[in-house]
Amino acid sequence: MLNGPNLNLLGERDPDQYGKETLQDIENSLKEAYPDIDFIFLQSNHEGDLIDAIHSVRSGTIDGLLANWGGFTHSSVAIHDALELINIPKVEVHLSNIHAREEFRERSITGKAMDGIITGFGINSYLLGTEALKQLSSK
Amino acid sequence: MLNGPNLNLLGERDPDQYGKETLQDIENSLKEAYPDIDFIFLQSNHEGDLIDAIHSVRSGTIDGLLANWGGFTHSSVAIHDALELINIPKVEVHLSNIHAREEFRERSITGKAMDGIITGFGINSYLLGTEALKQLSSK
Amino acid sequence: MLNGPNLNLLGERDPDQYGKETLQDIENSLKEAYPDIDFIFLQSNHEGDLIDAIHSVRSGTIDGLLANWGGFTHSSVAIHDALELINIPKVEVHLSNIHAREEFRERSITGKAMDGIITGFGINSYLLGTEALKQLSSK
Amino acid sequence: MLNGPNLNLLGERDPDQYGKETLQDIENSLKEAYPDIDFIFLQSNHEGDLIDAIHSVRSGTIDGLLANWGGFTHSSVAIHDALELINIPKVEVHLSNIHAREEFRERSITGKAMDGIITGFGINSYLLGTEALKQLSSK
Amino acid sequence: MLNGPNLNLLGERDPDQYGKETLQDIENSLKEAYPDIDFIFLQSNHEGDLIDAIHSVRSGTIDGLLANWGGFTHSSVAIHDALELINIPKVEVHLSNIHAREEFRERSITGKAMDGIITGFGINSYLLGTEALKQLSSK
Amino acid sequence: MLNGPNLNLLGERDPDQYGKETLQDIENSLKEAYPDIDFIFLQSNHEGDLIDAIHSVRSGTIDGLLANWGGFTHSSVAIHDALELINIPKVEVHLSNIHAREEFRERSITGKAMDGIITGFGINSYLLGTEALKQLSSK
Amino acid sequence: MLNGPNLNLLGERDPDQYGKETLQDIENSLKEAYPDIDFIFLQSNHEGDLIDAIHSVRSGTIDGLLANWGGFTHSSVAIHDALELINIPKVEVHLSNIHAREEFRERSITGKAMDGIITGFGINSYLLGTEALKQLSSK
Amino acid sequence: MLNGPNLNLLGERDPDQYGKETLQDIENSLKEAYPDIDFIFLQSNHEGDLIDAIHSVRSGTIDGLLANWGGFTHSSVAIHDALELINIPKVEVHLSNIHAREEFRERSITGKAMDGIITGFGINSYLLGTEALKQLSSK
Amino acid sequence: MLNGPNLNLLGERDPDQYGKETLQDIENSLKEAYPDIDFIFLQSNHEGDLIDAIHSVRSGTIDGLLANWGGFTHSSVAIHDALELINIPKVEVHLSNIHAREEFRERSITGKAMDGIITGFGINSYLLGTEALKQLSSK
Amino acid sequence: MLNGPNLNLLGERDPDQYGKETLQDIENSLKEAYPDIDFIFLQSNHEGDLIDAIHSVRSGTIDGLLANWGGFTHSSVAIHDALELINIPKVEVHLSNIHAREEFRERSITGKAMDGIITGFGINSYLLGTEALKQLSSK
Amino acid sequence: MLNGPNLNLLGERDPDQYGKETLQDIENSLKEAYPDIDFIFLQSNHEGDLIDAIHSVRSGTIDGLLANWGGFTHSSVAIHDALELINIPKVEVHLSNIHAREEFRERSITGKAMDGIITGFGINSYLLGTEALKQLSSK
Amino acid sequence: MLNGPNLNLLGERDPDQYGKETLQDIENSLKEAYPDIDFIFLQSNHEGDLIDAIHSVRSGTIDGLLANWGGFTHSSVAIHDALELINIPKVEVHLSNIHAREEFRERSITGKAMDGIITGFGINSYLLGTEALKQLSSK
C-alpha cells in the first residue's frame, strides 16, 4: 500500500470530516480485516520514493498495489509511466470524491494506468480497495 | 439500484472483456451476497425514468442508491440536480475505468452529487458499491 | 406552462431559500393573478415529453409558452430546435440567477430560441414571465 | 429507419428550404424506390425510445440502420454507446449540411459509431442513405 | 434606474426592432405605471459615473436598483465589485435577449452580483424589472 | 471530379481496408454507372491546381463538382473561398468516416462551402456523391 | 479625429521608434495635407468621453470618423456598440502593427464596427486613414 | 498613491474581514509611518482619471507610484499602456490575495507593467508597498 | 504586387459589394496613379509560387512589396517565414475588413512579418497600400 | 524560511539583474534586520523535502512560514495541500514579478493556500515578506 | 533528402546564427561524409512538389527519407498523410529548436508520421539525421 | 548523462519495441563508441536529484549534458529553470517519438532550455545525442 504526499497527517486534519483515524489506524484495520494478506505500507511525500516503490514490485513477491497518490494524482506523468511498467492488479483510492472538488482534481493522470479507482468513501476507500484488489488477484 | 442506458445488454456485449454475466446475474449475485438487503432494481434507457426513480426515493423506504448512469454520467445536469435533492447515501459505479478511455468520459457530472464513485472493476464494481453503501448507511 | 426536470419537487427543496410554495401553489397563484388566462400546466422529467408538448402548440389554440427547462436549459439542442419551429411568444424562467451559479449554468441553449429570459426571482419569475407573455401577445 | 426529435414536423417547417414533403412522404418515396426492402419506421422525440429501438435490432431480423438523430447527434453519449453494441450497417443522415451551420453542430458524437454520414441533401439524404446501406449490406 | 453606455440614443436606433420610445418615454411610462415610486434616473456612458451612482445608494434613501449596464455588462469587474457592496434589491435588464446574440454577450459579469436578470423584452424589460424590484422590496 | 493529395495512390494503400480499386477503377465505375454524364477527372497534390480547377468551372460547361479534398479538407481557407465563388452543385466525399478518426479531421473547412458531404463509404462515396450531384442538378 | 488613452503622450514616448512628432504635429500635418477638410480633434483617456464624442456625430455636421482607440481597441464593447449606431464612414488607425505584438492585441473589438483598419505605419497611419475616409465619403 | 474603483468605501465594507480602517485611516497611517515622504492621494472610480494621474507623474516631482487598481487590474490594457510610459518605481497592492479568489482575478494585466505586486495582507499591503517603493527608489 | 488565391476572379465576384473592377483594372489604376513606379504584378493560387516570388525580391531591383495573401493570410507559416527573410518595405492589403468577418479571419499570420496592414477599403486598399509603401521607402 | 529549487544558486545567476547577494547573504540580512526572530533556513531542490518541512511546522515551535517555491509554484498540488494543513501565517515571495514573465508563471497554485504573495522586488521580497509575517503574527 | 519552403535561402539568412553554409554546402558535406550513399536532393517551396516527391519513393529504389518540412511542419495534413503511405525509414530535421520558439512551432503534424525528429543543431541536424537514417535502415 | 524516472527499467520493458538493451548496455555502448570521453552516468526517479546533478555541472569539469528527462519532460518548470542556469552544451533525447504519442507528450518544457532534441530513435537516440554534444562542444 502506497500513500502519497500529506497522507502521513491523516487523523490530525479536519477530524470532523475524515474521522479521527490515523494512517496507522487504517493500517491496523486493514491487517485485521484481511489477516491472510501480508501488507507492506509506505507513505512518502517524495514522488521519487513512490516511483522507486512501484519499481520494487518487480521483485515478484507482491500481488497487488493499493495506492493513494494524493496531490500527484492530477499531474505526475512519471508515476503514470512507472505504473504502466508493472503487471500486477493496481487500485487507486481517494478519501474525498475527486469529482466534487476543484476542477483541477477531476482528472486522474495516474488513474489512467490503474485497473480502477475508488473515490469519496473516506478511510473506507482503503478497505474497499483492498477487497477490489483481492478480487482482481483471484481472476 | 439504478442502471442507465445500454446496461440491459450486459453479458451480450463483448464477453471477453466484461465476462458473461448479465444484469440479471449481477442482481442475483447482489441478493446472494447481501441477503439482508431488499434490493429494488431498475434499468432504463430513458433519462426521465431515472430521474423519476431518484425522486421516488423520497418515499422514505429506501436507504441507499447504487447507480450506473452509463452515457448520462458525462452530461446530464438534470440527473445531477435530482441527486442533489435526496439525502440518502449515493454510490456511482462504472464497469470500465472512466479515466482510461476517451477524454469525454473523464468527467462525471452526476458524480458531483454522489457520495463516491467506484470505477473500473467490471461487475465487481456493483458488489463493492453495495458494500460502500452499507458502510455509509451505518454511519 | 412547461416545467422541466425536478421542478415537481419544488417546495420540498430547501424551503429557506425558495419558500414553501409547491408547483401547485404557483399554478394557483397564476390562475388567481390572471383569471382571464386559461393555463395548461405540464411538468415532466422527460426531455421527449417536453418536446412533444412544444409540438402540441401547433394546434393553434395556445397563445404563449412559459417554460422553466431546468437542467435541460444548458445542453438540449433538441428542445432548442423544437422551439425554433413554433411562432408564439416564448418566455423562459428560472428560480435562481443562472449567472450567479456554477459556470456550466451561465449558458442557455434553449434560451437562444426564446423571446426572453427572466432569471433569479424565485417563484416570482413565473408571475413576471406571465406578464411578459401577455405583453408579447398583445403586440 | 430511426428519426430523432422534431423530424415529425418535417414538411410543416420552412417549406421553401426543405420542400413540402412530410416524413410520411419520405417513407412513401423510400418504399417506392426500394420495393424489395421491408422498412420499419420510427420517429421519436425521446432519446430512450431511440436507444430501445437500436437495441431491438439484436432480434436479428434487421439488416441495416438508417437514422437521423436530430438534435441528439451532437451530444448523446448514450446513443453512441448503444450504436457500438450492434453490428449491422449503420448510416447517419442529415437534411442540412451540419458543417455549414452553428459551430456546435459540426461535431457528430453519434456519427463516431456509424459507418458513414450523409449530410446536406434535404430529403434526398434519406434516399442516398438507403442506397449506401444496401451497398454496405451486400459486402 | 441606471442606464449604461449608448442607451441615451434609444428610440433613434433601429425603430423597427425596438419601437420608437426614447429613454424619456420609458421614464414617463415607469412614472405613470408606478406613481407611488420616486424614480431617480441616470444615464451615463462613463463606467466611473455608474460606479459613483451605485455607491450613492448607501445614502439609505434608495430602496432598489434597476439597471441596464449596456456594453459594460460583459466585462466590468469594477461595476461587479461595486454592486457587491450594496444590499438593496438589484435587477438587471436588457432590451435584447443576450443569449441569442454574439457569443461574447452571453456572459454577464455584472449579473453575478444582481438579484436577477430580465432580458429580451425590449422596453418592457424595464417595466417587468420595476415589478420585480417591488416584489423583492416587499419581502 | 476533383481529387486532392494522396488519392492518386488509392488501391496501393491498405487494400484490406479500402479494397483494391485504384482511382482509375473508380473513374471507370463512374463512367459505367452514369454513361450519360461526361466526367472530367483531375487529381493533384497541389492546392493551387485544385483552386485553378475550381475556377475553370466558370467556363459554364460544367454542371456539378464532386470532390475529395483529402488533407486540405481540414485547413484550406483558400479552397473554401474558391468554392464560394462558383454556383454549381458541389458535393464533398471522403473514403473514411471523418468523424471517427483523429480529432483534427472532424472539422471540414472546405465543406462549409459545399452543398453536402458524404463520408465513410469507401469508394462507394463517389457513386453516392455522383447520384447526389445528379439530384441537385435536376432541381 | 478621436484618439484614445495615452495618445496625448505621443512624441515623448520612444522617439526612436515612433519619431518625434507629437499629436499636435500630426494634427498640423493633417490640416496641411487636407486644407479643404475641417478637422475636429479630440483626445481622451476616458472611455465615456469617446462614446459621447461618437454620439455627437449624430449632429449631422460630421462626414467621417478617424479614430485610434488605443488600449480600448481590444476590449470595449461599449465603444463597439456606439460605433454601430452611426452611419458615417469610420476608419480605425494604429501606430504599430497590432498583429505583430502581444497576442491580446491581435483582436480588434472596436474594428468590427469600423469600415476598415490601417495598422502599423506610425503617424503615417493617420494620413492614410484620412485619405481612406475621403474616398469612402465620395462613394 | 492611486486607488481604483470601490476603494473609497473601504472600512464600510465587511469590517470583520478587512478591519474598520477607512481609506483616510490608511492615508494617516502612511503619513505617520513615513513622515519624510510627501504623499499625494487619489481615489477614483474612473479609469480615465487614473490614466490622467499616471501621466501627471511626468511632471518630474513624483518619485514613486503605489497603486491598487481594484477591478481594473484584470482587464485594463489602457492603464497598462500608461504605466509603460513612466519610468519611476511602481508597486501594485491588493487587499485580498488575488490568487485565492475567482479565477478571473488571478491575472494582473496592469501588474505586467509594474515593478512588483504585494497581494493579500489587507491594509498592511499599503505599508509594505510603501516600504518596497522606498527601497526601489534608493537603488 | 502579389495577389494570393482567388483574387484573379475579382470583378466577377459579387459586383454589388466590391465594384466591377477586375484585377486588371486595379493594375491600371495603380499605374495611372503612380506613373513613376514600375509595378510587377503576379497573381497565383499556388502558395509555392508566392514564396518563389517573395524570394525573387532578393535580386535587389525591387523596392517594396504590396500583397494580398487571400486565404493564405490566416494559416501560412511558410509565407510568413519567407517574408522574414526580406528587408524591403512590405504592406498587406485586404479588400474586406478581416476583423468583421468569420472568427478564423481575425488573425493574420502573414501580417506578423509585414510592416503594416490595410484592411476593409475594397480596391482602394491597394491604392492606400501603394501610398504607404512609397512613404516607407522614402524613410 | 523555505526556498525551492535552484535558489541555492542565487548570486551566481545573472548578477546584473538580481545583485550579487547569495542565499547566505539574504539569510544574514534577515538575521540582522530582525535580530529578535529565530530563523530556520532550508533550501531544497526536492519537492518532498519541502513538504516534509511544511509538516514539521506542526511541532508548534514555529510562528510563521516565509517561502519561495521556485518552479514548484506553478504546478505543485502536493505543496498546496500541505500548506492547507497548517495554520500559521504563510507568505510567498518571488524575486522576479511572476506576472511579467512567461504565461505559465502567472498562476500560483501554491499561493492559493498562502496568506499573501510578494513578487518582483528581488532579494527585498524576503525582507518585505518577513515584515508581512511579523504583522500577521501580531494580529 | 527533401527540403521545404525557404530552405533554398540557407546561408544568405542570418549567417551569424546559422553559419555561412548554403544548402549546396550541406549537400556537399553529406556526400563527403557518406560517400557510400547516393543522395537525391530536392528543395521546393511547393507543398504539392514535396508530396509528389514523397510518392516517388514507391519506386523502390530509395532506402530512406531525410526531410526538413520548414513552415509546412506545423500544419500540413496532406504531407502527413503522404508520409503514412510509405514504409521506408523517415527522419525529420530542423535547424532551430522548435520547442524554444513561438508556441505555434512546438507541434509537428508531419512528425507524427516520421520515425524520429532531430531539432536544434543547425546544419549538423542533417548529418545526425543521415546517421539516424543509416541506423534505421540497417535494422 | 542524466536519465529521468523509469529509465532504470530499460530493457525489461517491452523488449519487442525497444530492444533488449539495458541502461547498462547503453552506457557500455557509449563508452565503446566514444572512448575519449569520460562519461558520468546518473539515473534517478527523483526530480530533486536531477536538479542537484544539473547544478553540479558548475564544477567546471563537465563539458556537456546528455539527458532523457522521462515523464518530467512535459511538466517540470524546476528542471527547466535549472537548465537555464548552466552554459554547457545540452542535448535532450527520447526513446520514442514524443510527437507521435499522447497529446500531453508533444510539448517539452525542459526542451525549451536545451540546445536541441533527438526523439524517436530508441537507444540510438543516445548515440546520436552524444555525437551532437561533441559537435556542439567543438564549436
Side-chain angles (χ1 to χ4, degrees), chain B residues 46-49 51-52 55 58 75 77-86 107 109 112, chain C residues 5-9 12-14 43-47 70-72 74-75 101-102 104-105:
Chain B
H46 296 251
E47 187 183 19
D49 286 348
I51 297 171
D52 289 346
H55 288 180
R58 291 172 307 133
S75 63
V77 176
I79 291 179
H80 168 273
D81 289 356
L83 290 165
E84 282 197 333
L85 296 178
I86 62 171
R107 206 179 189 202
I109 295 281
K112 289 176 185 294
Chain C
N6 301 309
L7 290 162
N8 51 322
L9 298 197
E12 293 190 17
R13 176 193 190 177
D14 200 352
Q43 188 280 330
S44 177
N45 298 324
H46 295 252
E47 187 182 18
F72 297 149
H74 318 294
S75 63
R101 300 183 64 191
E102 300 99 322
F104 66 81
R105 291 196 207 265

Side-chain angles (χ1 to χ4, degrees), chain K residues 58-78:
Chain K
R58 292 171 307 130
S59 67
T61 60
I62 292 176
D63 297 323
L65 174 63
L66 181 71
N68 180 342
W69 306 114
F72 297 148
T73 303
H74 319 293
S75 64
S76 178
V77 177

Side-chain angles (χ1 to χ4, degrees), chain B residues 33-91:
Chain B
Y34 295 93
D36 296 343
I37 300 180
D38 279 329
F39 287 95
I40 302 175
F41 299 106
L42 176 74
Q43 188 280 330
S44 177
N45 298 325
H46 296 251
E47 187 183 19
D49 286 348
L50 296 167
I51 297 171
D52 289 346
I54 297 169
H55 288 180
S56 72
V57 157
R58 291 172 307 133
S59 68
T61 62
I62 293 177
D63 296 322
L65 174 62
L66 182 70
N68 180 342
W69 306 115
F72 297 147
T73 303
H74 318 294
S75 63
S76 178
V77 176
I79 291 179
H80 168 273
D81 289 356
L83 290 165
E84 282 197 333
L85 296 178
I86 62 171
N87 291 313
I88 59 171
K90 292 163 283 188
V91 175

Side-chain angles (χ1 to χ4, degrees), chain I residues 1 27 30-41 63-64 66 127 129-135 137:
Chain I
M1 188 177 85
E27 294 176 7
L30 288 177
K31 284 188 211 158
E32 198 177 329
Y34 295 94
D36 297 343
I37 301 179
D38 279 330
F39 288 94
I40 301 175
F41 298 106
D63 297 321
L66 182 71
L127 283 159
T130 307
E131 186 61 32
L133 263 188
K134 206 173 138 190
Q135 292 164 343
S137 300

Side-chain angles (χ1 to χ4, degrees), chain A residues 6 8 12-13 45-46 105, chain J residues 49 52 55 58 81-82 85:
Chain A
N6 301 310
N8 50 322
E12 294 189 16
R13 175 192 191 178
N45 298 326
H46 296 251
R105 294 195 204 265
Chain J
D49 287 347
D52 289 346
H55 288 180
R58 291 171 307 130
D81 290 356
L85 296 179

Side-chain angles (χ1 to χ4, degrees), chain A residues 124-139:
Chain A
N124 262 340
S125 291
Y126 287 90
L127 282 160
L128 292 163
T130 307
E131 185 62 32
L133 263 189
K134 206 174 138 190
Q135 292 165 343
L136 284 166
S137 300
S138 66
K139 276 192 184 169

Side-chain angles (χ1 to χ4, degrees), chain C residues 46-49 51-52 55 58 75-86 107 109 112, chain D residues 5-10 12-14 43-47 70-72 74-75 101-102 104-105:
Chain C
H46 295 252
E47 187 182 18
D49 287 347
I51 297 171
D52 289 346
H55 289 180
R58 291 172 308 131
S75 63
S76 177
V77 177
I79 291 179
H80 168 272
D81 290 356
L83 289 167
E84 282 196 332
L85 296 178
I86 61 171
R107 205 178 190 204
I109 295 281
K112 289 176 184 297
Chain D
N6 302 308
L7 290 161
N8 51 323
L9 297 197
L10 201 66
E12 293 189 15
R13 175 192 191 177
D14 199 353
Q43 188 279 331
S44 176
N45 298 325
H46 296 251
E47 187 182 18
F72 297 148
H74 319 293
S75 63
R101 299 182 66 190
E102 298 100 323
F104 65 80
R105 292 196 205 266

Side-chain angles (χ1 to χ4, degrees), chain F residues 54 56-58 60-66 83 85-91 113-115 133 136-137:
Chain F
I54 297 168
S56 72
V57 156
R58 291 171 308 131
T61 61
I62 292 176
D63 296 323
L65 174 63
L66 182 70
L83 290 165
L85 296 179
I86 62 171
N87 291 313
I88 59 172
K90 293 164 284 190
V91 176
M114 305 293 279
D115 287 290
L133 263 189
L136 283 168
S137 299

